[in-house]
Amino acid sequence: MDADVTESAGTPADPDRSAADQDGHNDESQDRDESQGEGRSRGDGSSQDGPEGEGRSEEPLGSDVPAKRRHRWLRWAALATSLFVLVAAGGGWWLYRKLDSNIRTDTSAAAELRVYEKERPVSVVHDAENILLIGSDSRSGDNRKYGRSYGSSQRSDTTILLHLAADRKSATAMSIPRDLMTEIPSCHQADGKPTRKQFAQFNWAFQFGGTACTIRTVERMTGIRIDHHMVVDFNGFKDMVDAVHGVEICLKEPIDDSDAHLKLRAGRQKLDGEEALGYVRARKSIGNGSDTDRMERQQRFLGALVNKVQSNGVLLNPTRLYPVLDAATKSLTTDPGLDSLKDLYELVRGMRSVPTKKVQFLTVPRQPYVVDPNRDELVQPEADKLFKRLRDDDPVAVVPADELKRKKGENSDSADSTSPTPTPTYSGSNAATDLCEQ
């Protein structure tokens, strides 16, 4: 049996070597032979026929050099990724700081309102918000070309009370005519001197005492607590329209208005920022020439602008959102509660889920002032009923004026005292309305 084993090994047994050493030598030789045979059978190009250590281009079996190379590559990849993240974060922070610094804070209005805090109405519904949007008609700086100046003062060209429902399922924008006759309280002017309480047209409040006086006038008129305010100038509106690449409208007749710097053909067309500004400001050359007609045109255009922003995915596309935010923040002056990009983002995020058909625009019920038909006065009790609906966060509905007249006629013909009270309906539009289907 021992002879058979020695013969099969091919080498005489060494009497000085232990059996264990001999077995280990046999195992190592067998492993090397199998490894060499495997390399030749794979055809991997390794030189296995020469003496050990000659003609080999690869590292010996079991070497950790490839692992070191792999680890070195991973370290470089991790470093590159870290640098990219830092650059991106730094760029994002720079953009955030730039947008944030665009916003101007109106601290004087906040201080003035604190003086009159006891006479201001209280909020009725938690989480509902009322924001006063004021379009300034200042003719200073780049706005000089749009008309004559009122000296060092300015008046509110457009004022809108925006009510955001507590559940954020609807938003109602109520326009207040600038020529509406109303009670303006005593307010402090820029030099600190008080004005007298007087009955005058609404936009004088902004001239007398700035934003704070306008807010107090609206609160006295409506009984609605104003939570925040924004003042927007002409150029901000233009830049926002340009940032969304224009808004499409349709005109039944051409427009040629030198005062508004506007000349448009009839038919479907897209307005850029400059044309859009002229379109919403034009008065005598479009419609019946009234301020009410102009407000309705402003409402429809603002609705189309909101629809354009939502339908084009601007809010979800950073490259398209940034120009809109840049234009908006450059034009804004706000109260301290909305003077940061974070505050504005929270506001926009709350409105993002509001369907465009639930973003509604209407004008406070008004009629020609009995003393001067060139001025307006509230229609009562309809105006107070609307104010209460907004104050209590109750729903309202809007339809075009023609449809509203038809519905009123139908309701009067089929009045039923047992039917549930319907949601009050007013003349207006919503952001889903197509300007070319008017």
Side-chain angles (χ1 to χ4, degrees):
M1 181 68 176
D2 292 339
D4 293 339
V5 173
T6 302
E7 183 178 356
S8 64
T11 306
D14 186 349
D16 299 329
R17 183 178 295 174
S18 67
D21 291 339
Q22 182 66 37
D23 290 340
H25 175 74
N26 290 341
D27 293 339
E28 181 180 352
S29 299
Q30 184 176 355
D31 291 341
R32 182 169 63 251
D33 292 342
E34 290 175 358
S35 176
Q36 292 173 351
E38 185 179 2
R40 286 191 296 270
S41 66
R42 287 197 308 264
D44 57 5
S46 302
S47 176
Q48 302 291 346
D49 296 333
E52 185 177 359
E54 294 180 9
R56 294 187 180 183
S57 59
E58 295 185 353
E59 299 294 341
L61 185 65
S63 171
D64 62 349
V65 174
K68 289 181 179 179
R69 290 176 178 170
R70 183 166 59 255
H71 293 158
R72 186 181 302 116
W73 183 88
L74 289 174
R75 286 197 299 270
W76 278 106
L79 178 60
T81 302
S82 300
L83 288 174
F84 176 78
V85 171
L86 287 174
V87 170
W93 178 247
W94 181 85
L95 292 176
Y96 178 90
R97 294 297 299 169
K98 181 180 183 299
L99 292 173
D100 198 58
S101 63
N102 285 343
I103 307 169
R104 295 179 294 275
T105 307
D106 185 359
T107 56
S108 61
E112 176 80 357
L113 291 173
R114 282 195 295 269
V115 173
Y116 297 97
E117 179 61 35
K118 291 184 178 180
E119 70 179 40
R120 299 182 65 194
V122 297
S123 297
V124 176
V125 180
H126 183 64
D127 288 336
E129 284 191 286
N130 297 292
I131 303 172
L132 196 65
L133 309 177
I134 302 173
S136 168
D137 67 350
S138 169
R139 298 305 195 273
S140 61
D142 293 335
N143 295 334
R144 191 177 294 111
K145 65 181 179 181
Y146 296 109
R148 67 182 180 85
S149 173
Y150 300 106
S152 59
S153 63
Q154 54 184 335
R155 296 182 183 177
S156 55
D157 189 64
T158 300
T159 304
I160 297 175
L161 175 58
L162 176 63
H163 173 76
L164 304 180
D167 60 8
R168 294 301 189 267
K169 292 183 179 180
S170 66
T172 303
M174 182 186 73
S175 294
I176 302 174
R178 65 177 187 175
D179 295 336
L180 180 69
M181 300 302 294
T182 187
E183 289 284 348
I184 299 177
S186 173
C187 301
H188 287 98
Q189 303 178 84
D191 58 5
K193 295 180 179 180
T195 62
R196 62 181 178 84
K197 178 181 177 180
Q198 57 191 295
F199 186 74
Q201 62 187 69
F202 172 72
N203 68 336
W204 284 17
F206 197 71
Q207 181 184 5
F208 291 160
T211 304
C213 193
T214 301
I215 290 173
R216 292 177 58 220
T217 300
V218 172
E219 288 183 340
R220 286 194 170 200
M221 180 195 309
T222 65
I224 298 172
R225 170 83 177 206
I226 303 301
D227 301 298
H228 300 290
H229 72 268
M230 298 181 185
V231 180
V232 185
D233 67 20
F234 287 160
N235 284 298
F237 175 81
K238 288 193 305 180
D239 292 343
M240 286 190 66
V241 174
D242 285 334
V244 297
H245 307 297
V247 175
E248 190 175 73
I249 66 166
C250 289
L251 295 176
K252 295 180 180 180
E253 299 177 354
I255 299 175
D256 189 355
D257 190 324
S258 57
D259 291 337
H261 301 274
L262 184 67
K263 189 172 184 178
L264 299 174
R265 58 180 174 78
R268 182 185 294 266
Q269 56 202 295
K270 182 182 290 186
L271 304 188
D272 61 21
E274 187 75 27
E275 293 168 333
L277 179 59
Y279 177 73
V280 298
R281 292 192 65 247
R283 183 171 178 174
K284 298 178 180 179
S285 60
I286 306 178
N288 59 16
S290 68
D291 192 47
T292 299
D293 186 74
R294 185 181 68 154
M295 283 189 299
E296 292 174 353
R297 187 166 63 254
Q298 290 173 348
Q299 294 167 4
R300 290 192 296 269
F301 191 89
L302 288 174
L305 180 59
V306 170
N307 193 24
K308 181 73 178 287
V309 170
Q310 289 197 1
S311 63
N312 283 19
V314 173
L315 296 178
L316 301 178
N317 187 335
T319 59
R320 303 187 67 181
L321 178 60
Y322 177 79
V324 177
L325 289 177
D326 190 41
T329 53
K330 281 180 179 177
S331 68
L332 284 182
T333 300
T334 75
D335 63 275
L338 280 181
D339 66 345
S340 74
L341 195 60
K342 178 180 179 296
D343 295 326
L344 291 176
Y345 172 76
E346 292 297 328
L347 177 65
V348 173
R349 187 177 68 170
M351 293 186 60
R352 191 167 55 188
S353 60
V354 179
T356 52
K357 66 180 181 179
K358 286 296 185 179
V359 180
Q360 304 179 128
F361 298 87
L362 72 160
T363 301
V364 60
R366 41 74 54 200
Q367 64 187 10
Y369 182 38
V370 64
V371 176
D372 182 355
N374 293 317
R375 300 290 179 263
D376 292 324
E377 64 181 0
L378 294 176
V379 175
Q380 297 293 8
E382 286 81 0
D384 282 343
K385 289 180 179 179
L386 173 59
F387 300 153
K388 187 176 187 307
R389 301 290 298 188
L390 298 179
R391 184 168 58 247
D392 296 341
D393 197 32
D394 290 330
V396 298
V398 300
V399 295
D402 294 343
E403 183 177 344
L404 180 62
K405 290 179 180 180
R406 179 176 58 80
K407 283 189 174 184
K408 285 184 176 181
E410 293 175 352
N411 291 337
S412 62
D413 293 339
S414 58
D416 185 357
S417 58
T418 62
S419 61
T421 303
T423 300
T425 302
Y426 299 88
S427 173
S429 60
N430 61 60
T433 303
D434 187 343
L435 290 183
C436 288
E437 294 181 357
Q438 298 291 316

